[in-house]
Amino acid sequence: MSSLRPFHLKAWLAVSAAALLLLTPVAQTPVRAQAAQATPAPAADPSSSQTTVAARSPNEQRSITGRAIDKVKQVAKSAGDIFNRVPCLAPKDTNKVGSKAMGSLPHVANKLVAGQPVVIVAFGSSSTAGYGASSPDFNYPNRLAAQLRRQYPTADITVINAGVGGEDAPEMMKRLQTQVIDVHPDLVIWQVGTNAVLRNLDPGDTAKLVEDGVSRIQAAGDADIVLVDPQYSPAVNQRKESAGKMIKLLGKVAELRHVGIFPRFEVMRDWHENQSIPVESFVIADGLHMNDWGYACFAQLLGDDIIRSVGQIKLGVNVPGDVRAYRPM
């Protein structure tokens, strides 16, 4: 079982400073490449094709190391102040977003209140794995883990990233037992449906598989479950009819099985249509996957709902998990 730990700047600086010296522009992630362009490396000496780091003077070597550290700091700062550039706001138009919501999360909330260890499994495909993020630290499960650990610094919180790119319900069901049920999670966040839309799979078949999977998780233990529907993005919007059916059916599964649902499609559409955020500000150039800001805001809203559920338990408001009245996330 893997545990995603929060971003530690000092440790990352120590490792990344040396690593950045060896990276070529082709190997760099987009954010790192941008930082490298801001501070060009010195031109190679045309008289020698065998110039090495060891051959440089101590002052020159310290200068290169300093520039590498500065680049790492730029990346870290860019990630750290991401919401200063574009704030992460919850949808205000609850009628447009609809009545779908995560609902209360009594199991994970009670464990956090009691100071017991908490295990969260993020189950899904590439947007769970974090494709499009500039670093694994910035995918949504890692962001969520960092937020919860800041909120509950003495708690033992483990967030497992069980995302595999390209999969949807048929492939996920094959690993549901080993990567979800056998882990005995307190909360399962199941992102599903996007690849089924892109692959023109029958939304009804997908919904049946998801319902079966939710039933199996419920039969195995007391885990809270939150389904995450497809993202609002150009690639998904090109299959608007199929996406609409998928979103509606996943909502029905959540209602039938008394589990929560995070209305990702409507939340992301609210970013664009109500908050006037350009789509390219939260979706990368492939027109499908989220960028650092998108993952960070997604994680923030998920975390806010978990924290809100804990607050309810502390106030003695033990709301059943099947109460699904919308609460701004």
Side-chain angles (χ1 to χ4, degrees):
M1 182 172 67
S2 63
S3 174
L4 296 175
R5 296 300 175 193
F7 175 55
H8 294 292
L9 179 58
K10 291 183 179 178
W12 192 46
L13 289 176
V15 175
S16 300
L20 281 171
L21 296 175
L22 302 177
L23 288 173
T24 68
V26 174
Q28 293 170 325
T29 60
V31 169
R32 291 196 180 94
Q34 183 178 3
Q37 290 167 8
T39 310
D45 183 355
S47 65
S48 173
S49 60
Q50 302 297 322
T51 302
T52 65
V53 171
R56 302 181 188 276
S57 69
N59 287 340
E60 187 179 7
Q61 178 59 42
R62 281 194 295 269
S63 176
I64 294 172
T65 302
R67 285 198 298 272
I69 292 175
D70 287 342
K71 293 172 188 176
V72 174
K73 287 181 178 179
Q74 290 172 11
V75 174
K77 185 177 185 299
S78 175
D81 69 359
I82 194 167
F83 291 151
N84 291 332
R85 299 198 302 275
V86 180
C88 177
L89 303 177
K92 294 182 180 180
D93 189 348
T94 58
N95 291 325
K96 184 168 184 176
V97 174
S99 61
K100 297 182 295 181
M102 283 177 61
S104 69
L105 305 169
H107 185 72
V108 70
N110 273 300
K111 294 197 74 172
L112 282 170
V113 169
Q116 298 175 349
V118 168
V119 175
I120 299 172
V121 173
F123 192 47
S125 57
S126 57
S127 61
T128 296
Y131 187 88
S134 64
S135 163
D137 292 291
F138 305 145
N139 61 42
Y140 103 73
N142 223 352
R143 284 281 194 177
L144 177 63
Q147 179 186 1
L148 294 178
R149 290 176 185 137
R150 287 193 301 270
Q151 182 72 22
Y152 310 107
T154 62
D156 180 5
I157 299 171
T158 299
V159 178
I160 301 168
N161 191 330
V164 176
E167 289 194 351
D168 213 276
E171 297 83 12
M172 293 178 196
M173 290 295 289
K174 296 177 182 179
R175 56 191 181 94
L176 181 73
Q177 183 69 43
T178 57
Q179 296 194 13
V180 178
I181 295 173
D182 290 349
V183 176
H184 306 292
D186 301 297
L187 170 62
V188 179
I189 303 171
W190 189 354
Q191 166 260 312
V192 66
T194 298
N195 285 320
V197 170
L198 299 179
R199 288 155 54 183
N200 293 317
L201 300 182
D202 184 345
D205 291 342
T206 298
K208 290 177 183 178
L209 287 173
V210 173
E211 183 181 352
D212 179 54
V214 169
S215 299
R216 287 174 56 187
I217 296 170
Q218 291 175 324
D222 297 322
D224 297 320
I225 303 171
V226 173
L227 300 178
V228 178
D229 62 23
Q231 63 262 48
Y232 175 87
S233 65
V236 174
N237 295 343
Q238 287 176 2
R239 295 166 171 81
K240 187 175 182 179
E241 183 177 354
S242 179
K245 290 180 180 178
M246 183 67 70
I247 292 163
K248 184 177 181 179
L249 287 171
L250 289 175
K252 287 185 175 180
V253 170
E255 184 176 5
L256 178 66
R257 300 307 308 177
H258 304 295
V259 300
I261 188 162
F262 184 94
R264 180 170 59 155
F265 186 89
E266 294 297 343
V267 168
M268 292 179 69
R269 181 158 69 177
D270 185 86
W271 293 347
H272 180 55
E273 294 185 356
N274 290 352
Q275 300 181 37
S276 300
I277 301 174
V279 171
E280 57 268 23
S281 292
F282 55 84
V283 174
I284 64 173
D286 69 358
L288 176 62
H289 297 92
M290 287 184 281
N291 60 15
D292 284 350
W293 186 93
Y295 285 125
C297 192
F298 175 34
Q300 182 73 38
L301 299 178
L302 283 168
D304 287 348
D305 211 85
I306 295 171
I307 292 167
R308 189 176 293 108
S309 289
V310 173
Q312 289 179 327
I313 299 298
K314 287 182 176 179
L315 291 173
V317 184
N318 196 348
V319 182
D322 59 354
V323 174
R324 296 163 48 74
Y326 180 80
R327 299 194 311 275
M329 288 164 290

